[in-house]
Amino acid sequence: MKITVVGTGYVGLVSGACLAEAGNDVLCLDLDADKIRLLDAGGMPIHEPGLQEMVARNRAAGRLRFTADVEASVAHGLLQFIAVGTPPDEDGSADLRHVVAAARAIGRHMDGYKVIVDKSTVPVGTADKVCAAIVGELSARGLQTGFAVVSNPEFLKEGAAIADFMRPDRIIVGADDARAIELMCQLYAPFQRSRERLIVMDARSAELTKYAANAMLATRISFMNELANLAEKLGADIEQVRRGIGADPRIGHQFLYPGCGYGGSCFPKDVQALQRTAAAAGSPLGVLAAVEAANETQKGVPGRKIAARFGENLAGRRFALWGLAFKPDTDDMREAPSRVVIADLLARGATVCAYDPVAMSEARRVFGAAPGLVYADSPLAALDGADALVIVTEWREFRSPDFDEMKRRLKTPLVFDGRNLYDPAQMRAAGIEYCAIGRR
Protein backbone atom coordinates (compact mmCIF):
# COMPACT_ATOMS: atom_id res chain seq x y z
CA MET A 1 0.00 0.00 0.00
CA LYS A 2 1.26 3.50 -0.82
CA ILE A 3 1.41 5.63 2.32
CA THR A 4 2.45 9.22 2.98
CA VAL A 5 3.46 10.27 6.48
CA VAL A 6 3.46 14.01 7.12
CA GLY A 7 6.03 14.83 9.80
CA THR A 8 9.26 13.04 10.69
CA GLY A 9 9.21 13.67 14.41
CA TYR A 10 8.92 10.92 16.96
CA VAL A 11 5.51 9.59 15.92
CA GLY A 12 5.93 10.13 12.19
CA LEU A 13 9.35 8.57 11.86
CA VAL A 14 8.53 5.51 13.98
CA SER A 15 5.19 5.01 12.20
CA GLY A 16 6.72 5.41 8.75
CA ALA A 17 9.55 3.00 9.48
CA CYS A 18 7.26 0.35 10.99
CA LEU A 19 4.75 0.59 8.13
CA ALA A 20 7.61 0.18 5.65
CA GLU A 21 8.87 -2.80 7.65
CA ALA A 22 5.52 -4.50 6.93
CA GLY A 23 6.10 -4.09 3.17
CA ASN A 24 4.31 -0.81 2.46
CA ASP A 25 5.70 1.88 0.13
CA VAL A 26 6.16 4.84 2.51
CA LEU A 27 7.09 8.42 1.69
CA CYS A 28 7.75 10.68 4.69
CA LEU A 29 7.32 14.43 4.26
CA ASP A 30 8.92 17.13 6.35
CA LEU A 31 9.26 20.82 5.53
CA ASP A 32 12.53 20.98 7.47
CA ALA A 33 15.07 20.50 4.67
CA ASP A 34 17.90 20.00 7.16
CA LYS A 35 16.07 17.07 8.75
CA ILE A 36 15.45 15.50 5.34
CA ARG A 37 19.14 15.82 4.49
CA LEU A 38 20.05 14.23 7.83
CA LEU A 39 17.70 11.29 7.23
CA ASP A 40 18.88 10.83 3.64
CA ALA A 41 22.45 10.71 4.95
CA GLY A 42 21.55 7.93 7.37
CA GLY A 43 21.37 10.19 10.43
CA MET A 44 18.69 10.15 13.10
CA PRO A 45 17.02 13.24 14.66
CA ILE A 46 15.81 11.32 17.74
CA HIS A 47 17.06 8.49 19.95
CA GLU A 48 14.90 5.39 19.88
CA PRO A 49 16.32 1.88 20.26
CA GLY A 50 16.31 -0.02 16.96
CA LEU A 51 14.92 2.85 14.88
CA GLN A 52 18.10 3.78 13.01
CA GLU A 53 18.63 0.18 11.92
CA MET A 54 15.00 -0.17 10.82
CA VAL A 55 15.12 3.05 8.82
CA ALA A 56 18.39 2.02 7.13
CA ARG A 57 17.03 -1.43 6.29
CA ASN A 58 13.86 -0.11 4.67
CA ARG A 59 15.64 2.70 2.83
CA ALA A 60 17.99 0.13 1.34
CA ALA A 61 14.99 -1.98 0.29
CA GLY A 62 13.38 1.05 -1.38
CA ARG A 63 10.29 0.95 0.84
CA LEU A 64 11.04 4.14 2.80
CA ARG A 65 11.90 7.53 1.36
CA PHE A 66 12.01 11.13 2.59
CA THR A 67 11.02 14.35 0.85
CA ALA A 68 10.29 18.03 1.37
CA ASP A 69 8.08 18.14 -1.75
CA VAL A 70 4.48 18.57 -0.60
CA GLU A 71 2.91 17.99 -4.01
CA ALA A 72 4.84 14.74 -4.48
CA SER A 73 3.87 13.53 -1.03
CA VAL A 74 0.17 14.13 -1.64
CA ALA A 75 0.33 12.39 -4.99
CA HIS A 76 2.09 9.37 -3.49
CA GLY A 77 -0.14 8.00 -0.75
CA LEU A 78 -3.71 6.75 -0.87
CA LEU A 79 -3.40 7.01 2.92
CA GLN A 80 -2.10 10.36 4.18
CA PHE A 81 -0.95 10.13 7.81
CA ILE A 82 -0.72 13.45 9.66
CA ALA A 83 1.90 13.04 12.38
CA VAL A 84 2.96 16.61 13.10
CA GLY A 85 3.50 18.20 16.50
CA THR A 86 0.68 19.57 18.64
CA PRO A 87 2.57 21.61 21.25
CA PRO A 88 0.68 23.14 24.17
CA ASP A 89 -0.65 26.63 23.55
CA GLU A 90 -0.32 29.38 26.16
CA ASP A 91 -3.49 28.20 27.93
CA GLY A 92 -2.42 24.53 27.87
CA SER A 93 -4.68 23.54 24.97
CA ALA A 94 -3.20 21.70 21.99
CA ASP A 95 -1.94 23.93 19.18
CA LEU A 96 -3.47 22.55 15.98
CA ARG A 97 -1.86 24.95 13.50
CA HIS A 98 0.45 22.30 12.05
CA VAL A 99 -2.34 19.71 11.81
CA VAL A 100 -4.67 22.09 9.99
CA ALA A 101 -1.85 23.31 7.73
CA ALA A 102 -1.08 19.71 6.75
CA ALA A 103 -4.75 19.09 5.99
CA ARG A 104 -4.93 22.20 3.83
CA ALA A 105 -1.84 21.17 1.92
CA ILE A 106 -3.45 17.80 1.18
CA GLY A 107 -6.65 19.48 0.01
CA ARG A 108 -4.63 21.89 -2.13
CA HIS A 109 -2.94 19.11 -4.10
CA MET A 110 -5.17 16.01 -4.02
CA ASP A 111 -6.94 14.99 -7.21
CA GLY A 112 -8.65 11.76 -6.18
CA TYR A 113 -9.88 9.78 -3.20
CA LYS A 114 -7.63 9.98 -0.14
CA VAL A 115 -7.87 8.77 3.43
CA ILE A 116 -6.46 11.38 5.79
CA VAL A 117 -5.36 9.74 9.04
CA ASP A 118 -4.89 11.83 12.18
CA LYS A 119 -1.96 10.13 13.93
CA SER A 120 -1.04 13.14 16.05
CA THR A 121 -2.51 13.41 19.53
CA VAL A 122 -5.34 15.90 19.02
CA PRO A 123 -8.36 17.19 20.98
CA VAL A 124 -11.88 15.93 20.42
CA GLY A 125 -13.31 17.54 17.31
CA THR A 126 -10.06 17.76 15.37
CA ALA A 127 -11.25 15.33 12.68
CA ASP A 128 -14.06 17.79 11.94
CA LYS A 129 -11.53 20.63 11.62
CA VAL A 130 -9.34 18.56 9.31
CA CYS A 131 -12.39 17.75 7.18
CA ALA A 132 -13.41 21.41 7.02
CA ALA A 133 -9.88 22.46 6.02
CA ILE A 134 -9.81 19.98 3.14
CA VAL A 135 -13.32 20.91 1.99
CA GLY A 136 -12.27 24.56 1.99
CA GLU A 137 -9.27 23.89 -0.22
CA LEU A 138 -11.22 21.67 -2.62
CA SER A 139 -13.96 24.30 -2.89
CA ALA A 140 -11.40 26.99 -3.66
CA ARG A 141 -10.17 24.81 -6.51
CA GLY A 142 -13.70 24.09 -7.70
CA LEU A 143 -13.00 20.39 -7.28
CA GLN A 144 -15.31 17.70 -5.98
CA THR A 145 -13.59 14.48 -4.98
CA GLY A 146 -14.21 12.00 -2.24
CA PHE A 147 -12.09 11.66 0.87
CA ALA A 148 -12.35 10.35 4.42
CA VAL A 149 -10.84 11.50 7.70
CA VAL A 150 -9.83 8.84 10.22
CA SER A 151 -8.67 9.24 13.81
CA ASN A 152 -5.94 6.67 14.51
CA PRO A 153 -4.14 7.77 17.70
CA GLU A 154 -0.71 6.41 18.54
CA PHE A 155 0.11 4.56 21.75
CA LEU A 156 3.89 4.52 21.57
CA LYS A 157 6.10 4.54 24.65
CA GLU A 158 9.40 6.31 24.16
CA GLY A 159 12.14 3.72 24.46
CA ALA A 160 9.81 0.90 23.35
CA ALA A 161 8.07 2.52 20.37
CA ILE A 162 8.99 -0.06 17.75
CA ALA A 163 7.72 -2.95 19.86
CA ASP A 164 4.54 -1.00 20.64
CA PHE A 165 3.85 -0.38 16.93
CA MET A 166 4.79 -3.85 15.70
CA ARG A 167 2.96 -5.68 18.53
CA PRO A 168 0.20 -3.30 19.61
CA ASP A 169 -2.10 -3.76 22.58
CA ARG A 170 -4.90 -2.17 20.57
CA ILE A 171 -5.39 -0.27 17.33
CA ILE A 172 -8.02 2.46 17.56
CA VAL A 173 -9.71 3.50 14.32
CA GLY A 174 -12.22 6.33 14.50
CA ALA A 175 -14.19 6.59 11.27
CA ASP A 176 -17.62 6.25 9.69
CA ASP A 177 -16.55 5.76 6.06
CA ALA A 178 -16.78 2.06 5.12
CA ARG A 179 -14.06 2.25 2.47
CA ALA A 180 -11.65 4.00 4.83
CA ILE A 181 -12.33 1.45 7.58
CA GLU A 182 -11.64 -1.41 5.18
CA LEU A 183 -8.36 0.18 4.08
CA MET A 184 -7.29 0.64 7.70
CA CYS A 185 -8.13 -3.00 8.42
CA GLN A 186 -5.98 -4.07 5.47
CA LEU A 187 -3.14 -1.81 6.57
CA TYR A 188 -3.03 -3.14 10.13
CA ALA A 189 -3.69 -6.82 9.33
CA PRO A 190 0.05 -7.72 9.51
CA PHE A 191 0.26 -6.25 13.02
CA GLN A 192 -2.51 -8.38 14.54
CA ARG A 193 -2.10 -11.86 13.13
CA SER A 194 -2.40 -13.64 16.49
CA ARG A 195 -5.64 -11.94 17.56
CA GLU A 196 -7.92 -9.08 16.59
CA ARG A 197 -6.68 -5.84 18.15
CA LEU A 198 -8.43 -3.29 15.95
CA ILE A 199 -11.33 -1.41 17.56
CA VAL A 200 -13.56 0.70 15.32
CA MET A 201 -15.45 3.63 16.80
CA ASP A 202 -16.49 7.14 15.85
CA ALA A 203 -13.76 9.77 15.44
CA ARG A 204 -14.63 11.78 18.55
CA SER A 205 -14.52 8.70 20.75
CA ALA A 206 -11.15 7.74 19.25
CA GLU A 207 -9.75 11.20 19.95
CA LEU A 208 -10.98 11.07 23.55
CA THR A 209 -9.62 7.53 24.01
CA LYS A 210 -6.05 8.73 23.49
CA TYR A 211 -6.32 11.54 26.04
CA ALA A 212 -8.19 9.32 28.50
CA ALA A 213 -5.49 6.65 28.36
CA ASN A 214 -2.63 9.04 29.11
CA ALA A 215 -4.64 10.85 31.78
CA MET A 216 -5.42 7.54 33.53
CA LEU A 217 -1.73 6.54 33.56
CA ALA A 218 -0.70 9.96 34.85
CA THR A 219 -3.33 9.66 37.57
CA ARG A 220 -1.91 6.34 38.76
CA ILE A 221 1.57 7.82 38.94
CA SER A 222 0.52 10.89 40.92
CA PHE A 223 -1.62 8.81 43.26
CA MET A 224 1.29 6.51 44.06
CA ASN A 225 3.63 9.46 44.54
CA GLU A 226 1.29 11.08 47.04
CA LEU A 227 0.79 7.73 48.77
CA ALA A 228 4.57 7.31 48.98
CA ASN A 229 4.90 10.71 50.65
CA LEU A 230 2.22 9.68 53.14
CA ALA A 231 3.97 6.34 53.77
CA GLU A 232 7.10 8.22 54.84
CA LYS A 233 5.10 10.22 57.38
CA LEU A 234 3.41 7.12 58.75
CA GLY A 235 6.50 4.92 58.90
CA ALA A 236 5.19 2.55 56.23
CA ASP A 237 7.06 1.17 53.21
CA ILE A 238 5.52 2.10 49.85
CA GLU A 239 7.19 -0.87 48.13
CA GLN A 240 5.28 -3.27 50.37
CA VAL A 241 2.10 -1.26 49.84
CA ARG A 242 2.65 -1.33 46.07
CA ARG A 243 2.99 -5.11 46.07
CA GLY A 244 -0.09 -5.46 48.25
CA ILE A 245 -2.43 -3.37 46.13
CA GLY A 246 -0.91 -4.53 42.84
CA ALA A 247 -1.85 -8.12 43.69
CA ASP A 248 -5.48 -7.10 43.22
CA PRO A 249 -6.24 -7.96 39.54
CA ARG A 250 -8.55 -4.96 39.34
CA ILE A 251 -5.52 -2.75 39.98
CA GLY A 252 -2.49 -4.64 38.65
CA HIS A 253 1.17 -3.72 39.05
CA GLN A 254 1.78 -1.40 36.10
CA PHE A 255 2.33 2.31 36.71
CA LEU A 256 2.37 1.84 40.48
CA TYR A 257 6.02 2.80 40.93
CA PRO A 258 6.48 6.01 42.94
CA GLY A 259 9.27 8.43 42.09
CA CYS A 260 10.06 12.07 41.48
CA GLY A 261 7.30 12.74 38.97
CA TYR A 262 6.50 12.09 35.33
CA GLY A 263 7.69 14.12 32.35
CA GLY A 264 8.11 13.80 28.60
CA SER A 265 6.16 15.07 25.63
CA CYS A 266 2.89 13.21 26.31
CA PHE A 267 1.60 13.03 29.87
CA PRO A 268 2.11 16.68 30.89
CA LYS A 269 0.78 18.03 27.59
CA ASP A 270 -2.16 15.65 27.33
CA VAL A 271 -3.28 16.13 30.94
CA GLN A 272 -3.33 19.88 30.36
CA ALA A 273 -5.09 19.60 27.00
CA LEU A 274 -7.81 17.32 28.36
CA GLN A 275 -8.42 19.75 31.21
CA ARG A 276 -8.85 22.60 28.72
CA THR A 277 -11.19 20.50 26.60
CA ALA A 278 -13.27 19.62 29.66
CA ALA A 279 -13.40 23.22 30.86
CA ALA A 280 -14.50 24.44 27.42
CA ALA A 281 -17.28 21.84 27.46
CA GLY A 282 -18.44 23.06 30.87
CA SER A 283 -17.41 19.84 32.62
CA PRO A 284 -14.11 20.49 34.42
CA LEU A 285 -12.04 17.52 35.55
CA GLY A 286 -11.02 18.24 39.13
CA VAL A 287 -9.16 14.95 39.40
CA LEU A 288 -6.76 15.92 36.60
CA ALA A 289 -6.11 19.32 38.12
CA ALA A 290 -5.00 17.49 41.26
CA VAL A 291 -2.89 15.05 39.22
CA GLU A 292 -1.04 17.89 37.53
CA ALA A 293 -0.48 19.79 40.77
CA ALA A 294 0.74 16.66 42.56
CA ASN A 295 3.20 15.94 39.77
CA GLU A 296 4.70 19.42 39.83
CA THR A 297 5.07 19.15 43.61
CA GLN A 298 6.68 15.72 43.33
CA LYS A 299 9.44 16.96 41.04
CA GLY A 300 10.63 19.11 43.91
CA VAL A 301 10.84 16.23 46.42
CA PRO A 302 14.55 15.41 45.83
CA GLY A 303 15.54 19.05 46.26
CA ARG A 304 13.56 19.34 49.47
CA LYS A 305 15.04 16.13 50.86
CA ILE A 306 18.55 17.39 50.10
CA ALA A 307 17.84 20.75 51.73
CA ALA A 308 16.43 18.99 54.80
CA ARG A 309 19.63 16.97 55.09
CA PHE A 310 22.24 19.66 54.30
CA GLY A 311 20.37 22.92 54.89
CA GLU A 312 18.93 25.45 52.49
CA ASN A 313 22.31 26.96 51.65
CA LEU A 314 24.21 24.43 49.55
CA ALA A 315 27.10 26.71 48.57
CA GLY A 316 30.29 24.67 48.43
CA ARG A 317 28.38 21.40 48.09
CA ARG A 318 28.77 19.13 45.05
CA PHE A 319 26.17 16.57 43.97
CA ALA A 320 26.43 13.75 41.46
CA LEU A 321 23.27 13.31 39.42
CA TRP A 322 22.45 10.13 37.50
CA GLY A 323 19.84 10.49 34.78
CA LEU A 324 18.78 13.49 32.70
CA ALA A 325 16.16 12.08 30.30
CA PHE A 326 12.60 11.91 31.62
CA LYS A 327 12.72 8.10 31.35
CA PRO A 328 15.20 5.40 30.25
CA ASP A 329 15.97 4.61 26.58
CA THR A 330 15.35 8.12 25.30
CA ASP A 331 17.17 11.44 25.13
CA ASP A 332 13.92 13.39 25.61
CA MET A 333 14.20 15.97 28.41
CA ARG A 334 10.88 17.72 27.87
CA GLU A 335 9.29 18.30 31.30
CA ALA A 336 11.93 15.97 32.78
CA PRO A 337 12.16 15.92 36.61
CA SER A 338 15.95 16.33 36.24
CA ARG A 339 15.38 19.89 35.06
CA VAL A 340 13.62 20.78 38.31
CA VAL A 341 16.14 18.93 40.49
CA ILE A 342 19.14 20.60 38.83
CA ALA A 343 17.50 24.01 38.96
CA ASP A 344 16.75 23.53 42.68
CA LEU A 345 20.34 22.57 43.50
CA LEU A 346 21.91 25.33 41.43
CA ALA A 347 19.55 27.91 42.96
CA ARG A 348 20.74 26.85 46.42
CA GLY A 349 24.35 27.38 45.40
CA ALA A 350 25.42 23.78 44.77
CA THR A 351 27.51 22.34 41.96
CA VAL A 352 26.03 19.44 39.98
CA CYS A 353 27.99 16.82 38.05
CA ALA A 354 25.52 14.99 35.80
CA TYR A 355 25.65 11.80 33.77
CA ASP A 356 23.17 10.21 31.36
CA PRO A 357 23.84 7.45 28.81
CA VAL A 358 22.25 9.30 25.85
CA ALA A 359 20.83 12.69 26.93
CA MET A 360 24.06 14.64 27.56
CA SER A 361 23.88 16.55 24.26
CA GLU A 362 20.25 17.40 24.87
CA ALA A 363 21.12 18.55 28.40
CA ARG A 364 23.79 20.89 27.04
CA ARG A 365 21.20 22.33 24.66
CA VAL A 366 18.60 22.70 27.44
CA PHE A 367 20.86 24.19 30.12
CA GLY A 368 23.44 25.93 27.95
CA ALA A 369 26.45 27.12 29.90
CA ALA A 370 24.66 27.05 33.26
CA PRO A 371 27.11 28.03 36.02
CA GLY A 372 27.67 25.18 38.45
CA LEU A 373 26.58 22.40 36.06
CA VAL A 374 29.21 20.03 34.66
CA TYR A 375 29.05 16.62 33.03
CA ALA A 376 30.84 13.33 33.66
CA ASP A 377 31.92 10.68 31.16
CA SER A 378 30.65 7.80 33.32
CA PRO A 379 28.41 7.19 36.33
CA LEU A 380 31.35 6.51 38.62
CA ALA A 381 33.26 9.58 37.44
CA ALA A 382 30.29 11.74 38.47
CA LEU A 383 30.67 10.52 42.05
CA ASP A 384 34.20 11.77 42.61
CA GLY A 385 34.23 14.21 45.52
CA ALA A 386 30.43 14.56 45.61
CA ASP A 387 28.60 15.15 48.87
CA ALA A 388 25.82 12.81 47.70
CA LEU A 389 24.41 11.00 44.68
CA VAL A 390 20.98 11.95 43.33
CA ILE A 391 19.25 9.41 41.06
CA VAL A 392 16.57 10.84 38.78
CA THR A 393 16.21 8.37 35.88
CA GLU A 394 16.06 4.58 36.25
CA TRP A 395 18.50 3.57 33.51
CA ARG A 396 19.39 -0.13 33.60
CA GLU A 397 23.09 0.59 34.07
CA PHE A 398 22.30 2.29 37.38
CA ARG A 399 20.55 -0.74 38.87
CA SER A 400 23.53 -2.80 40.04
CA PRO A 401 26.47 -0.48 40.73
CA ASP A 402 29.58 -1.36 42.71
CA PHE A 403 28.46 -0.03 46.08
CA ASP A 404 31.94 -0.30 47.59
CA GLU A 405 33.32 1.83 44.75
CA MET A 406 30.39 4.23 45.11
CA LYS A 407 31.15 4.63 48.81
CA ARG A 408 34.86 5.13 48.12
CA ARG A 409 34.31 7.90 45.58
CA LEU A 410 31.61 9.85 47.41
CA LYS A 411 32.72 12.38 50.00
CA THR A 412 29.66 11.37 52.03
CA PRO A 413 28.18 7.86 51.54
CA LEU A 414 24.71 9.20 50.83
CA VAL A 415 22.21 8.47 48.04
CA PHE A 416 18.98 10.34 47.29
CA ASP A 417 17.08 7.89 45.07
CA GLY A 418 14.20 9.42 43.14
CA ARG A 419 13.34 6.08 41.51
CA ASN A 420 13.67 3.55 44.38
CA LEU A 421 16.24 1.42 42.58
CA TYR A 422 17.85 -0.19 45.62
CA ASP A 423 16.95 -2.25 48.65
CA PRO A 424 17.27 -0.13 51.81
CA ALA A 425 18.61 -3.12 53.78
CA GLN A 426 21.32 -3.68 51.19
CA MET A 427 22.30 -0.02 51.34
CA ARG A 428 22.50 -0.11 55.13
CA ALA A 429 24.70 -3.20 54.95
CA ALA A 430 26.96 -1.36 52.50
CA GLY A 431 27.27 1.55 54.93
CA ILE A 432 25.44 3.99 52.65
CA GLU A 433 22.79 6.39 53.92
CA TYR A 434 19.78 5.91 51.65
CA CYS A 435 16.95 8.41 51.11
CA ALA A 436 14.35 7.00 48.71
CA ILE A 437 10.70 7.82 47.97
CA GLY A 438 8.31 6.34 50.53
CA ARG A 439 10.78 3.75 51.82
CA ARG A 440 11.59 3.22 55.50
Side-chain angles (χ1 to χ4, degrees), residues 358-421:
V358 302
M360 306 277 266
S361 295
E362 179 65 8
R364 290 185 174 95
R365 186 193 69 80
V366 168
F367 289 107
L373 176 60
V374 296
Y375 301 94
D377 294 329
S378 71
L380 290 178
L383 302 177
D384 289 335
D387 290 280
L389 165 63
V390 187
I391 301 174
V392 186
T393 312
E394 63 275 31
W395 284 93
R396 280 184 291 275
E397 66 183 82
F398 301 160
R399 294 182 182 233
S400 297
D402 183 334
F403 291 114
D404 290 335
E405 184 66 12
M406 176 187 290
K407 185 176 178 181
R408 188 184 71 79
R409 289 179 180 246
L410 285 169
K411 185 187 299 183
T412 309
L414 171 58
V415 174
F416 294 93
D417 187 353
R419 297 300 175 187
N420 289 359
L421 294 185

Side-chain angles (χ1 to χ4, degrees), residues 87-400:
D89 217 333
E90 291 183 1
D91 64 351
S93 60
D95 185 344
L96 296 177
R97 285 178 295 173
H98 302 304
V99 172
V100 173
R104 285 179 178 148
I106 294 169
R108 198 174 301 128
H109 295 288
M110 62 186 284
D111 56 8
Y113 181 82
K114 300 285 184 184
V115 177
I116 295 86
V117 183
D118 287 336
K119 200 67 176 171
S120 303
T121 299
V122 294
V124 176
T126 298
D128 295 337
K129 294 180 180 180
V130 167
C131 184
I134 294 172
V135 168
E137 292 295 334
L138 292 175
S139 297
R141 296 167 59 197
L143 185 64
Q144 289 187 340
T145 185
F147 70 92
V149 177
V150 173
S151 175
N152 176 220
E154 53 86 14
F155 297 96
L156 306 177
K157 299 187 295 292
E158 291 194 43
I162 290 176
D164 287 343
F165 197 104
M166 301 300 289
R167 297 183 294 278
D169 297 316
R170 74 285 204 197
I171 301 164
I172 302 296
V173 172
D176 56 12
D177 182 279
R179 182 179 176 186
I181 293 171
E182 177 58 30
L183 286 168
M184 295 298 287
C185 289
Q186 292 176 21
L187 177 68
Y188 281 115
F191 303 96
Q192 49 174 345
R193 292 177 65 85
S194 61
R195 64 178 175 86
E196 180 66 34
R197 294 178 171 86
L198 193 141
I199 304 171
V200 178
M201 58 184 70
D202 63 274
R204 285 179 172 252
S205 296
E207 290 164 343
L208 183 56
T209 295
K210 168 62 178 181
Y211 277 120
N214 279 354
M216 174 64 78
L217 296 175
T219 299
R220 286 172 70 101
I221 293 171
S222 280
F223 175 75
M224 285 304 295
N225 285 339
E226 292 215 304
L227 205 61
N229 297 337
L230 176 61
E232 284 189 20
K233 299 288 188 182
L234 299 178
D237 187 334
I238 193 62
E239 174 61 16
Q240 296 180 31
V241 175
R242 181 191 69 79
R243 292 169 60 196
I245 64 175
D248 186 331
R250 297 171 299 175
I251 297 172
H253 289 94
Q254 291 190 337
F255 282 81
L256 290 185
Y257 292 88
C260 51
Y262 61 76
S265 62
C266 294
F267 287 6
K269 174 174 68 72
D270 293 352
V271 166
Q272 286 187 358
L274 184 54
Q275 287 184 80
R276 299 303 177 274
T277 297
S283 184
L285 299 173
V287 169
L288 286 191
V291 166
E292 184 180 16
N295 188 59
E296 292 307 306
T297 298
Q298 197 70 15
K299 290 179 182 180
V301 166
R304 290 192 291 274
K305 285 178 176 285
I306 292 167
R309 174 64 171 75
F310 289 102
E312 289 291 334
N313 185 356
L314 299 177
R317 299 284 186 182
R318 180 184 177 94
F319 294 92
L321 186 137
W322 286 1
L324 292 162
F326 85 93
K327 63 178 289 188
D329 295 318
T330 181
D331 62 351
D332 193 344
M333 288 186 61
R334 285 173 287 184
E335 304 291 336
S338 65
R339 300 175 70 152
V340 175
V341 175
I342 290 172
D344 282 353
L345 295 176
L346 296 181
R348 291 184 167 104
T351 297
V352 177
C353 183
Y355 171 79
D356 189 283
V358 302
M360 306 277 266
S361 295
E362 179 65 8
R364 290 185 174 95
R365 186 193 69 80
V366 168
F367 289 107
L373 176 60
V374 296
Y375 301 94
D377 294 329
S378 71
L380 290 178
L383 302 177
D384 289 335
D387 290 280
L389 165 63
V390 187
I391 301 174
V392 186
T393 312
E394 63 275 31
W395 284 93
R396 280 184 291 275
E397 66 183 82
F398 301 160
R399 294 182 182 233
S400 297

